[in-house]
Amino acid sequence: MDLRSLRYFVAVAQERHIGRAARRLHMTQPPLSRAIRELEDELGVTLFERTSKGVTLTPAGTVMFDESVALLEHADLLRTRVTAAAGATTLTIGTLADTAELVAGTLVTRFREQHPSVEVSIREADLGDPTAGLRAGLVDVALTRTPFEDNGISTRVLRRIPVGVVLRENDPLAGRESIGSDDLTDRRWVRLPDNADPLWAAYWTGGPPDGSSPIVRTIQECLQSVLWNATSALAPLDQPLPAGLVVVPFRDRPPSHLVVAQSEAAPSPLVRSFVQLAVDSFR
């Protein structure tokens, strides 16, 4: 038995329903049902009686519930005392554009449950640094997108996101189902900062920019350049757009990956915990 399976069991016991417990735990019903069955198999007893309306505790389940609640309360107290003894702890998270918003919600809830006393700082990087401050040592962990030079950096994929071309609504290509490189010849593209990671710059620009191409440092600068100057730009297909713009799938780019990144040089237990919680939040 581990604490996670006990928390699952307690949630089901309190809700008296697998579906409601799954929603409370921010997970789907099948893995929760499987975890409860595995717990019963491990103990060799039936903990719940299943009915058409939900579940009820068996006598063994009632004992299990009382002992589990006491054990989990003690585990939470243990965590609080240990973190208090360690003193104030901070975690600096680097983000790129809207990556923090994409992974918030469940991740924030789970992190706060695990580390209620940790002070979190968010540092947003511009489009010149896809590691969001990680390579420069400005942050402990980063939420960002690929591709970039990852030497010395470990990444875990959270989501695969196709890429499209951002165009004005009145652009001749705006109504296409998809666009290829052959459709984009003689286009004027936005330009990323000159010091941007080469892999990153090559992926997120559709062609070699000329000297007149505007340099953009944020997603909003990029989108506004397309809107005002009719330049072209690449963006994830799920990128929110201002009125007047559309994004058309670009078939000549593989999907980008939304990732959580950390330094390979002995990350702290807190960083490792954050990374695992981020990955679990997207399963």
Side-chain angles (χ1 to χ4, degrees), residues 137-157:
L138 301 176
V139 302
D140 301 307
V141 65
L143 299 168
T144 184
R145 300 181 188 274
T146 62
F148 54 83
E149 173 53 55
D150 60 0
N151 184 38
I153 294 176
S154 173
T155 61
R156 300 282 299 275
V157 175

Side-chain angles (χ1 to χ4, degrees), residues 178-202:
S178 66
I179 296 175
S181 297
D182 293 343
D183 301 313
L184 299 170
T185 56
D186 301 324
R187 287 268 168 168
R188 184 170 177 249
W189 292 89
V190 297
R191 180 157 55 108
L192 297 183
D194 293 336
N195 62 342
D197 181 290
L199 286 176
W200 172 260

Side-chain angles (χ1 to χ4, degrees), residues 34-263:
R34 185 164 55 251
I36 297 300
R37 286 196 301 271
E38 290 173 353
L39 182 60
E40 290 178 319
D41 291 345
E42 182 178 353
L43 293 171
V45 300
T46 300
L47 298 173
F48 293 105
E49 294 291 347
R50 279 75 170 174
T51 71
S52 59
K53 295 182 179 180
V55 297
T56 58
L57 287 168
T58 63
T62 299
V63 173
M64 182 70 176
F65 176 75
D66 293 339
E67 296 295 334
S68 296
V69 169
L71 181 58
L72 292 173
E73 288 177 350
H74 184 74
D76 291 340
L77 178 60
L78 174 63
R79 184 190 304 276
T80 300
R81 288 179 173 175
V82 170
T83 54
T89 305
T90 62
L91 181 72
T92 303
I93 304 170
T95 69
L96 184 74
D98 58 350
T99 51
E101 298 175 14
L102 292 173
V103 300
T106 301
L107 174 56
V108 172
T109 300
R110 290 185 175 184
F111 185 82
R112 277 298 164 216
E113 290 175 349
Q114 293 281 337
H115 308 284
S117 63
V118 172
E119 183 72 20
V120 175
S121 299
I122 304 296
R123 181 185 183 277
E124 184 171 356
D126 66 28
L127 296 178
D129 179 16
T131 72
L134 187 62
R135 191 176 299 284
L138 301 176
V139 302
D140 301 307
V141 65
L143 299 168
T144 184
R145 300 181 188 274
T146 62
F148 54 83
E149 173 53 55
D150 60 0
N151 184 38
I153 294 176
S154 173
T155 61
R156 300 282 299 275
V157 175
L158 304 178
R159 181 190 295 171
R160 296 172 70 253
I161 305 175
V163 173
V165 182
V166 181
L167 305 166
R168 293 205 299 197
E169 287 181 341
N170 59 357
D171 190 289
L173 300 178
R176 298 280 191 91
E177 292 186 0
S178 66
I179 296 175
S181 297
D182 293 343
D183 301 313
L184 299 170
T185 56
D186 301 324
R187 287 268 168 168
R188 184 170 177 249
W189 292 89
V190 297
R191 180 157 55 108
L192 297 183
D194 293 336
N195 62 342
D197 181 290
L199 286 176
W200 172 260
Y203 180 92
W204 288 106
T205 52
D210 57 37
S212 65
S213 298
I215 295 178
V216 295
R217 297 186 178 276
T218 69
I219 288 291
Q220 287 306 313
E221 286 182 8
C222 178
L223 298 178
Q224 292 299 321
S225 178
V226 178
L227 187 62
W228 287 89
N229 302 314
T231 51
S232 298
L234 299 182
L237 282 184
D238 60 357
Q239 175 66 50
L241 301 175
L245 295 182
V246 297
V247 59
V248 181
F250 188 36
R251 56 179 178 268
D252 293 338
R253 283 286 188 281
S256 175
H257 291 157
L258 179 66
V259 299
V260 56
Q262 66 183 52
S263 172

